[in-house]
Amino acid sequence: ITGLSDSALSALLGSQIAWAGASGPGMPMRMLDYVAMPLLVRARRGWRRRHAAKRDAYAKAGLALERVGAIGSAEQQWDQMSDWERALVEIAQAMAPEPRLLLVDDLTDTLGIRETDELCALIRDLCRERGIGVLQAVSDGQAALLADRILTLSAGALTQAPQPDAGNVIELPTLGAGRSRGHGGL
């Protein structure tokens, strides 16, 4: 990836790699518009093509919201939703363009135990359904334990962590007090 030109990297990130984080749209907009945004950016030039691409983008955005269980958030604004609803909308937006790789940046950080389990199961199910890979950064061990494979990042080094099994308890390292940035699950 580091050897790609800016335009090639931009094309890759817009079509093959999707990112889901807890940042939201950064401006007032309906969540249906937010989920459709990556698809609208890819719309072709020309009025007829653009009009058809816009219809298609909104149809795919609606289906993505429905698939993750957030269709009720379509008309809401970011600040009107719970952390759970926001996480679902972020996953819907990332999955709408049908990427080959999904990067998830700590969406479970503000969720409870049950919600973390449900979100990780949803991500896993979506990725298996569509045959895509997922790389998920997490700041707590609970979400990491739901991964197929766990790596830790500490002092700039990425290392293989002990892998969970039915009777195995794994302690992941922490980086001081407060929120740790040293864990990664995938």
Side-chain angles (χ1 to χ4, degrees):
I1 290 178
T2 59
L4 295 175
S5 68
D6 287 346
S7 61
L9 181 60
S10 181
L12 181 66
L13 292 175
S15 62
Q16 301 295 312
I17 301 174
W19 179 80
S23 59
M27 66 180 84
M29 67 172 44
R30 299 178 316 155
M31 291 302 97
L32 182 62
D33 297 325
Y34 179 60
V35 173
M37 192 181 316
L39 299 165
L40 294 169
V41 168
R42 292 184 355 196
R44 297 179 182 230
R45 298 190 189 277
W47 184 84
R48 289 189 195 281
R49 287 188 206 158
R50 195 172 54 242
H51 187 69
K54 185 176 179 180
R55 269 195 324 261
D56 186 50
Y58 279 99
K60 284 183 178 182
L63 289 173
L65 284 167
E66 185 176 349
R67 173 57 184 93
V68 301
I71 193 65
S73 301
E75 298 299 320
Q76 290 184 306
Q77 302 283 318
W78 185 258
D79 61 353
Q80 296 172 320
M81 297 186 308
S82 68
D83 290 340
W84 170 247
E85 292 167 318
R86 290 175 181 173
L88 293 177
V89 167
E90 287 290 341
I91 295 299
Q93 189 205 40
M95 297 300 286
E98 300 175 358
R100 293 184 57 206
L101 175 64
L102 174 62
L103 305 176
V104 182
D105 186 16
D106 213 2
L107 282 179
T108 62
D109 188 44
T110 59
L111 302 179
I113 293 170
R114 185 181 58 84
E115 291 171 329
T116 294
D117 288 348
E118 288 181 28
L119 187 65
C120 289
L122 174 65
I123 292 168
R124 185 174 40 252
D125 290 348
L126 285 168
C127 291
R128 286 186 178 150
E129 281 172 18
R130 297 177 183 199
I132 67 171
V134 63
L135 175 62
Q136 182 171 352
V138 297
S139 61
D140 66 51
Q142 177 203 347
L145 291 175
L146 299 172
D148 292 332
R149 187 167 64 139
I150 302 170
L151 303 173
T152 61
L153 179 63
S154 181
L158 190 62
T159 58
Q160 180 77 37
Q163 300 307 298
D165 63 31
N168 187 0
V169 175
I170 297 173
E171 288 189 33
L172 297 174
T174 60
L175 298 177
R179 184 173 174 214
S180 171
R181 286 283 196 199
H183 306 98
L186 56 129

Coordinates of all heavy atoms in Angstrom, one line a residue, residues 67-141:
R67 N -29.8 -4.5 7.1 CA -29.0 -5.7 7.4 C -28.4 -5.6 8.8 O -28.3 -6.6 9.5 CB -27.9 -5.9 6.4 CG -27.0 -7.1 6.7 CD -27.7 -8.4 6.9 NE -26.8 -9.5 7.3 CZ -26.5 -9.8 8.5 NH1 -27.0 -9.1 9.6 NH2 -25.7 -10.8 8.8
V68 N -27.9 -4.5 9.2 CA -27.3 -4.4 10.6 C -28.3 -4.1 11.7 O -27.9 -4.0 12.8 CB -26.1 -3.3 10.6 CG1 -25.1 -3.6 9.6 CG2 -26.7 -1.9 10.4
G69 N -29.5 -3.9 11.3 CA -30.6 -3.7 12.3 C -30.7 -2.2 12.7 O -31.2 -1.9 13.8
A70 N -30.3 -1.3 11.8 CA -30.4 0.1 12.1 C -31.3 0.9 11.2 O -31.1 2.1 11.1 CB -29.0 0.7 12.1
I71 N -32.2 0.3 10.5 CA -33.0 1.0 9.6 C -33.8 2.1 10.3 O -34.1 3.1 9.7 CB -34.0 0.0 8.8 CG1 -34.6 0.7 7.6 CG2 -35.0 -0.6 9.7 CD1 -33.6 1.2 6.5
G72 N -34.1 1.9 11.5 CA -34.8 3.0 12.3 C -34.0 4.2 12.5 O -34.5 5.3 12.9
S73 N -32.7 4.2 12.2 CA -31.8 5.3 12.4 C -31.7 6.1 11.1 O -31.0 7.1 11.1 CB -30.4 4.9 12.8 OG -30.5 4.2 14.1
A74 N -32.3 5.7 10.0 CA -32.1 6.3 8.7 C -32.4 7.8 8.7 O -31.7 8.5 8.0 CB -33.0 5.6 7.6
E75 N -33.4 8.2 9.4 CA -33.8 9.6 9.3 C -33.2 10.4 10.5 O -33.4 11.6 10.6 CB -35.3 9.8 9.3 CG -35.9 9.2 8.1 CD -35.5 9.8 6.8 OE1 -35.3 11.1 6.8 OE2 -35.2 9.1 5.8
Q76 N -32.4 9.8 11.4 CA -31.9 10.4 12.6 C -30.6 11.1 12.3 O -29.9 10.8 11.3 CB -31.7 9.4 13.7 CG -32.9 8.9 14.3 CD -32.6 8.0 15.4 OE1 -31.9 7.0 15.3 NE2 -33.3 8.3 16.6
Q77 N -30.2 12.0 13.1 CA -29.0 12.7 13.1 C -28.0 12.0 14.1 O -28.5 11.3 15.0 CB -29.1 14.2 13.6 CG -30.1 15.0 12.8 CD -29.5 15.5 11.5 OE1 -28.4 15.9 11.4 NE2 -30.3 15.4 10.4
W78 N -26.7 12.2 13.9 CA -25.7 11.5 14.7 C -25.9 11.7 16.2 O -25.9 10.8 17.0 CB -24.3 11.9 14.2 CG -23.2 11.2 14.9 CD1 -22.4 11.7 15.9 CD2 -22.7 9.9 14.6 NE1 -21.5 10.8 16.3 CE2 -21.6 9.7 15.5 CE3 -23.0 8.9 13.7 CZ2 -20.9 8.5 15.5 CZ3 -22.3 7.8 13.7 CH2 -21.3 7.5 14.5
D79 N -26.1 13.0 16.6 CA -26.3 13.3 18.0 C -27.6 12.9 18.6 O -27.7 13.0 19.8 CB -26.0 14.8 18.2 CG -27.0 15.7 17.5 OD1 -27.8 15.2 16.7 OD2 -27.0 16.9 17.7
Q80 N -28.5 12.3 17.8 CA -29.8 11.8 18.4 C -29.7 10.3 18.7 O -30.6 9.8 19.2 CB -30.9 12.0 17.3 CG -31.2 13.4 17.0 CD -32.2 13.6 15.8 OE1 -32.1 12.8 14.9 NE2 -33.1 14.5 16.0
M81 N -28.6 9.7 18.4 CA -28.5 8.2 18.5 C -27.7 7.8 19.7 O -26.8 8.5 20.2 CB -27.9 7.6 17.2 CG -28.7 7.9 16.0 SD -28.1 7.0 14.5 CE -26.4 7.5 14.5
S82 N -27.9 6.6 20.2 CA -27.1 6.0 21.2 C -25.8 5.5 20.6 O -25.6 5.4 19.4 CB -27.9 4.8 21.8 OG -27.9 3.7 20.9
D83 N -24.8 5.1 21.5 CA -23.5 4.6 21.1 C -23.8 3.3 20.3 O -23.1 3.1 19.3 CB -22.6 4.3 22.2 CG -22.1 5.6 22.9 OD1 -22.1 6.7 22.2 OD2 -21.7 5.5 24.1
W84 N -24.7 2.5 20.7 CA -25.0 1.3 20.0 C -25.5 1.5 18.5 O -25.0 0.9 17.6 CB -26.1 0.5 20.8 CG -26.6 -0.7 20.0 CD1 -27.9 -0.9 19.6 CD2 -26.0 -1.9 19.6 NE1 -28.1 -2.1 19.0 CE2 -26.9 -2.7 19.0 CE3 -24.7 -2.3 19.8 CZ2 -26.5 -4.0 18.5 CZ3 -24.3 -3.6 19.3 CH2 -25.3 -4.4 18.6
E85 N -26.4 2.5 18.4 CA -27.0 2.8 17.1 C -25.9 3.4 16.2 O -25.8 3.1 15.0 CB -28.1 3.8 17.2 CG -29.4 3.3 17.8 CD -30.4 4.3 18.2 OE1 -30.0 5.4 18.8 OE2 -31.6 4.1 18.0
R86 N -25.0 4.2 16.8 CA -23.9 4.8 16.1 C -22.9 3.7 15.5 O -22.5 3.8 14.4 CB -23.1 5.8 16.9 CG -23.9 7.0 17.2 CD -23.1 7.9 18.2 NE -23.8 9.1 18.5 CZ -23.5 10.0 19.4 NH1 -22.4 9.8 20.1 NH2 -24.2 11.1 19.6
A87 N -22.6 2.7 16.4 CA -21.8 1.6 15.9 C -22.4 0.9 14.8 O -21.7 0.5 13.8 CB -21.5 0.7 17.1
L88 N -23.7 0.6 14.8 CA -24.4 -0.1 13.7 C -24.4 0.7 12.4 O -24.1 0.2 11.4 CB -25.8 -0.4 14.1 CG -26.0 -1.4 15.3 CD1 -27.5 -1.5 15.6 CD2 -25.4 -2.7 14.9
V89 N -24.6 2.1 12.6 CA -24.5 2.9 11.4 C -23.1 2.9 10.8 O -23.0 2.9 9.5 CB -25.0 4.4 11.7 CG1 -24.7 5.3 10.6 CG2 -26.5 4.4 12.0
E90 N -22.1 3.0 11.6 CA -20.7 2.9 11.1 C -20.5 1.6 10.3 O -19.8 1.7 9.3 CB -19.7 3.1 12.2 CG -19.7 4.5 12.8 CD -19.0 5.5 11.9 OE1 -18.3 5.1 10.9 OE2 -19.2 6.7 12.1
I91 N -20.9 0.5 10.8 CA -20.8 -0.7 10.1 C -21.5 -0.7 8.8 O -21.0 -1.2 7.8 CB -21.2 -1.9 11.0 CG1 -20.2 -2.0 12.3 CG2 -21.2 -3.2 10.3 CD1 -18.8 -2.3 11.9
A92 N -22.8 -0.2 8.9 CA -23.6 -0.1 7.6 C -22.8 0.7 6.6 O -22.8 0.3 5.4 CB -24.9 0.4 7.9
Q93 N -22.3 1.8 7.0 CA -21.6 2.7 6.0 C -20.4 2.0 5.4 O -20.1 2.1 4.2 CB -21.2 4.0 6.6 CG -20.7 5.0 5.5 CD -19.7 6.0 6.0 OE1 -18.9 5.8 6.9 NE2 -19.9 7.2 5.5
A94 N -19.7 1.3 6.3 CA -18.5 0.6 5.8 C -18.8 -0.5 4.9 O -18.1 -0.8 3.9 CB -17.6 0.1 7.0
M95 N -19.9 -1.2 5.1 CA -20.2 -2.4 4.3 C -21.0 -2.1 3.1 O -21.0 -2.9 2.1 CB -21.0 -3.4 5.2 CG -20.3 -3.9 6.4 SD -18.8 -4.8 5.9 CE -19.5 -6.3 5.3
A96 N -21.6 -0.9 3.0 CA -22.5 -0.6 1.8 C -21.7 -0.7 0.5 O -22.2 -1.2 -0.5 CB -23.1 0.8 2.0
P97 N -20.4 -0.2 0.4 CA -19.7 -0.3 -0.9 C -19.2 -1.7 -1.2 O -18.5 -1.9 -2.2 CB -18.5 0.7 -0.7 CG -18.8 1.4 0.6 CD -19.7 0.6 1.4
E98 N -19.5 -2.7 -0.3 CA -19.0 -4.1 -0.5 C -17.5 -4.2 -0.7 O -17.0 -4.6 -1.7 CB -19.8 -4.7 -1.7 CG -21.3 -4.7 -1.5 CD -22.0 -5.2 -2.7 OE1 -21.4 -5.5 -3.7 OE2 -23.3 -5.2 -2.6
P99 N -16.8 -3.8 0.4 CA -15.3 -3.8 0.3 C -14.8 -5.3 0.4 O -15.5 -6.2 0.7 CB -14.9 -3.1 1.6 CG -16.0 -3.4 2.5 CD -17.3 -3.4 1.7
R100 N -13.5 -5.4 0.2 CA -12.9 -6.7 0.4 C -12.2 -6.8 1.7 O -11.9 -7.9 2.2 CB -11.8 -7.0 -0.7 CG -12.5 -7.1 -2.1 CD -11.6 -7.4 -3.2 NE -10.9 -8.6 -3.0 CZ -9.7 -8.9 -3.5 NH1 -9.1 -8.0 -4.3 NH2 -9.1 -10.0 -3.2
L101 N -11.9 -5.7 2.3 CA -11.3 -5.6 3.6 C -12.0 -4.5 4.5 O -12.2 -3.4 4.0 CB -9.8 -5.3 3.5 CG -9.0 -5.1 4.9 CD1 -9.0 -6.3 5.7 CD2 -7.6 -4.6 4.6
L102 N -12.3 -4.9 5.7 CA -13.0 -4.0 6.6 C -12.0 -3.7 7.8 O -11.6 -4.6 8.4 CB -14.3 -4.6 7.2 CG -15.0 -3.8 8.2 CD1 -15.5 -2.4 7.7 CD2 -16.2 -4.6 8.8
L103 N -11.7 -2.4 8.0 CA -10.9 -1.9 9.1 C -11.9 -1.3 10.1 O -12.6 -0.4 9.8 CB -9.9 -0.9 8.6 CG -9.0 -1.3 7.5 CD1 -8.1 -0.1 7.1 CD2 -8.1 -2.5 7.9
V104 N -11.8 -1.9 11.3 CA -12.7 -1.4 12.4 C -11.9 -0.8 13.5 O -11.0 -1.5 14.1 CB -13.6 -2.5 13.0 CG1 -14.5 -2.0 14.0 CG2 -14.4 -3.2 11.8
D105 N -12.1 0.5 13.8 CA -11.3 1.2 14.8 C -12.1 1.3 16.1 O -12.8 2.3 16.3 CB -10.9 2.5 14.3 CG -9.9 3.2 15.3 OD1 -9.4 2.6 16.2 OD2 -9.7 4.4 15.1
D106 N -12.0 0.4 17.0 CA -12.4 0.4 18.4 C -13.9 0.9 18.5 O -14.2 1.7 19.4 CB -11.5 1.3 19.2 CG -11.4 0.9 20.6 OD1 -12.0 -0.2 21.0 OD2 -10.7 1.5 21.4
L107 N -14.8 0.3 17.8 CA -16.2 0.6 17.9 C -16.8 0.1 19.2 O -17.9 0.5 19.6 CB -17.0 0.0 16.7 CG -16.9 0.8 15.4 CD1 -17.8 0.0 14.4 CD2 -17.4 2.2 15.6
T108 N -16.2 -0.9 19.9 CA -16.7 -1.4 21.1 C -16.4 -0.7 22.3 O -16.8 -1.0 23.4 CB -16.3 -2.9 21.2 OG1 -14.8 -2.9 21.3 CG2 -16.7 -3.7 20.1
D109 N -15.5 0.3 22.2 CA -15.0 1.1 23.4 C -16.1 1.6 24.3 O -15.9 1.6 25.5 CB -14.1 2.2 22.9 CG -13.3 2.9 24.0 OD1 -12.8 2.2 24.9 OD2 -13.3 4.1 24.0
T110 N -17.2 2.1 23.8 CA -18.2 2.7 24.6 C -19.4 1.8 24.8 O -20.4 2.2 25.4 CB -18.7 4.0 24.0 OG1 -19.2 3.7 22.7 CG2 -17.6 5.0 23.9
L111 N -19.3 0.5 24.4 CA -20.4 -0.4 24.5 C -20.3 -1.3 25.8 O -19.2 -1.5 26.3 CB -20.5 -1.3 23.3 CG -20.6 -0.6 22.0 CD1 -20.7 -1.6 20.8 CD2 -21.9 0.3 21.9
G112 N -21.4 -1.8 26.2 CA -21.4 -2.8 27.3 C -21.0 -4.2 26.8 O -20.8 -4.4 25.6
I113 N -21.0 -5.1 27.8 CA -20.5 -6.5 27.5 C -21.4 -7.1 26.4 O -21.0 -7.7 25.4 CB -20.5 -7.3 28.7 CG1 -19.4 -6.8 29.6 CG2 -20.3 -8.8 28.4 CD1 -19.4 -7.4 31.0
R114 N -22.7 -7.1 26.6 CA -23.7 -7.7 25.7 C -23.6 -7.0 24.3 O -23.6 -7.7 23.3 CB -25.1 -7.6 26.2 CG -26.2 -8.3 25.4 CD -27.6 -8.2 25.9 NE -28.0 -6.8 26.1 CZ -28.5 -6.1 25.1 NH1 -28.7 -6.6 23.9 NH2 -28.9 -4.8 25.3
E115 N -23.6 -5.7 24.3 CA -23.5 -5.0 23.0 C -22.2 -5.3 22.3 O -22.1 -5.4 21.0 CB -23.6 -3.5 23.2 CG -25.0 -3.1 23.6 CD -25.1 -1.6 24.1 OE1 -24.1 -1.1 24.6 OE2 -26.2 -1.0 23.9
T116 N -21.1 -5.4 23.0 CA -19.8 -5.8 22.4 C -19.9 -7.1 21.8 O -19.4 -7.3 20.6 CB -18.6 -5.7 23.5 OG1 -18.5 -4.3 23.9 CG2 -17.3 -6.2 22.9
D117 N -20.4 -8.1 22.5 CA -20.6 -9.4 21.9 C -21.4 -9.4 20.7 O -21.1 -10.0 19.7 CB -21.3 -10.4 23.0 CG -20.3 -10.8 24.1 OD1 -19.1 -10.5 24.0 OD2 -20.9 -11.3 25.1
E118 N -22.6 -8.7 20.7 CA -23.5 -8.6 19.6 C -22.8 -7.9 18.4 O -22.9 -8.4 17.2 CB -24.7 -7.9 19.9 CG -25.7 -8.7 20.8 CD -26.9 -8.0 21.2 OE1 -27.4 -7.1 20.4 OE2 -27.5 -8.3 22.3
L119 N -22.1 -6.8 18.6 CA -21.4 -6.1 17.5 C -20.3 -7.0 16.9 O -20.2 -7.1 15.6 CB -20.8 -4.8 18.0 CG -20.3 -3.9 16.8 CD1 -21.4 -3.5 15.9 CD2 -19.6 -2.7 17.4
C120 N -19.5 -7.6 17.7 CA -18.5 -8.5 17.2 C -19.1 -9.7 16.4 O -18.5 -10.1 15.3 CB -17.6 -9.0 18.3 SG -16.5 -7.7 19.0
A121 N -20.2 -10.2 16.8 CA -20.9 -11.3 16.1 C -21.4 -10.8 14.8 O -21.3 -11.5 13.8 CB -22.0 -11.9 17.0
L122 N -22.0 -9.6 14.8 CA -22.5 -9.0 13.6 C -21.4 -8.8 12.6 O -21.5 -9.2 11.4 CB -23.2 -7.7 13.9 CG -23.7 -6.9 12.6 CD1 -24.7 -7.7 11.9 CD2 -24.1 -5.5 13.1
I123 N -20.3 -8.2 13.0 CA -19.1 -8.0 12.1 C -18.6 -9.3 11.5 O -18.4 -9.5 10.3 CB -18.0 -7.2 12.8 CG1 -18.4 -5.8 13.1 CG2 -16.7 -7.2 12.0 CD1 -17.5 -5.1 14.1
R124 N -18.5 -10.3 12.4 CA -18.0 -11.6 12.0 C -19.0 -12.2 10.9 O -18.6 -12.7 9.9 CB -17.9 -12.6 13.2 CG -17.3 -13.9 12.8 CD -17.0 -14.8 14.1 NE -18.0 -14.7 15.1 CZ -17.8 -14.1 16.3 NH1 -16.7 -13.5 16.6 NH2 -18.8 -14.1 17.2
D125 N -20.3 -12.2 11.2 CA -21.3 -12.7 10.3 C -21.3 -12.0 8.9 O -21.3 -12.7 7.9 CB -22.7 -12.6 10.9 CG -22.9 -13.6 12.1 OD1 -22.1 -14.5 12.3 OD2 -23.9 -13.4 12.8
L126 N -21.2 -10.7 9.0 CA -21.2 -9.9 7.7 C -20.0 -10.3 6.9 O -20.1 -10.4 5.7 CB -21.2 -8.4 8.0 CG -22.5 -7.8 8.5 CD1 -22.3 -6.4 9.0 CD2 -23.5 -7.8 7.3
C127 N -18.8 -10.4 7.5 CA -17.6 -10.7 6.8 C -17.6 -12.1 6.2 O -17.1 -12.3 5.1 CB -16.4 -10.4 7.7 SG -16.2 -8.7 8.0
R128 N -18.2 -13.0 7.0 CA -18.2 -14.4 6.5 C -19.3 -14.5 5.3 O -19.0 -15.2 4.3 CB -18.6 -15.4 7.6 CG -17.4 -15.6 8.5 CD -17.6 -16.6 9.5 NE -16.4 -16.8 10.3 CZ -16.3 -17.1 11.6 NH1 -17.5 -17.4 12.2 NH2 -15.2 -17.2 12.2
E129 N -20.4 -13.8 5.4 CA -21.4 -13.8 4.4 C -20.8 -13.3 3.1 O -21.1 -13.8 2.0 CB -22.6 -12.8 4.7 CG -23.6 -13.4 5.7 CD -24.6 -12.3 6.1 OE1 -24.7 -11.2 5.4 OE2 -25.2 -12.5 7.1
R130 N -20.0 -12.2 3.2 CA -19.5 -11.6 2.0 C -18.1 -12.0 1.6 O -17.5 -11.5 0.6 CB -19.6 -10.1 2.2 CG -21.0 -9.6 2.4 CD -21.1 -8.1 2.7 NE -22.4 -7.7 2.9 CZ -22.9 -6.5 2.8 NH1 -22.0 -5.5 2.5 NH2 -24.1 -6.2 3.1
G131 N -17.5 -12.8 2.4 CA -16.2 -13.3 2.1 C -15.1 -12.3 2.1 O -14.2 -12.2 1.3
I132 N -15.2 -11.4 3.1 CA -14.2 -10.3 3.3 C -13.4 -10.5 4.5 O -13.8 -11.1 5.5 CB -14.8 -8.9 3.2 CG1 -15.7 -8.6 4.4 CG2 -15.6 -8.7 1.9 CD1 -16.2 -7.2 4.5
G133 N -12.2 -9.8 4.6 CA -11.4 -9.9 5.8 C -11.7 -8.7 6.7 O -12.3 -7.7 6.2
V134 N -11.4 -8.8 7.9 CA -11.6 -7.7 8.9 C -10.4 -7.6 9.8 O -9.8 -8.6 10.2 CB -12.9 -7.9 9.7 CG1 -12.8 -9.2 10.6 CG2 -13.2 -6.7 10.6
L135 N -10.0 -6.4 10.0 CA -8.9 -6.1 11.0 C -9.5 -5.1 12.0 O -10.0 -4.1 11.6 CB -7.7 -5.4 10.3 CG -6.6 -4.9 11.2 CD1 -6.0 -6.1 12.0 CD2 -5.6 -4.2 10.4
Q136 N -9.6 -5.6 13.2 CA -10.3 -4.8 14.2 C -9.4 -4.4 15.3 O -8.8 -5.3 16.0 CB -11.5 -5.6 14.8 CG -12.3 -4.8 15.8 CD -13.6 -5.6 16.2 OE1 -14.0 -6.6 15.6 NE2 -14.3 -5.1 17.1
A137 N -9.2 -3.1 15.6 CA -8.5 -2.6 16.7 C -9.4 -2.5 17.9 O -10.5 -1.9 17.8 CB -7.8 -1.3 16.4
V138 N -9.0 -3.0 19.0 CA -9.9 -2.9 20.2 C -9.0 -2.5 21.4 O -7.8 -2.7 21.4 CB -10.6 -4.3 20.6 CG1 -11.5 -4.7 19.4 CG2 -9.6 -5.4 20.8
S139 N -9.6 -1.9 22.4 CA -8.9 -1.5 23.6 C -9.2 -2.3 24.8 O -8.7 -2.0 25.9 CB -9.2 0.0 23.9 OG -10.5 0.2 24.1
D140 N -10.0 -3.3 24.6 CA -10.3 -4.2 25.8 C -10.2 -5.6 25.4 O -10.4 -6.0 24.3 CB -11.7 -3.9 26.4 CG -12.9 -4.2 25.4 OD1 -12.9 -5.4 24.9 OD2 -13.7 -3.4 25.3
G141 N -9.8 -6.4 26.4 CA -9.6 -7.9 26.1 C -10.8 -8.6 25.7 O -10.8 -9.6 25.0

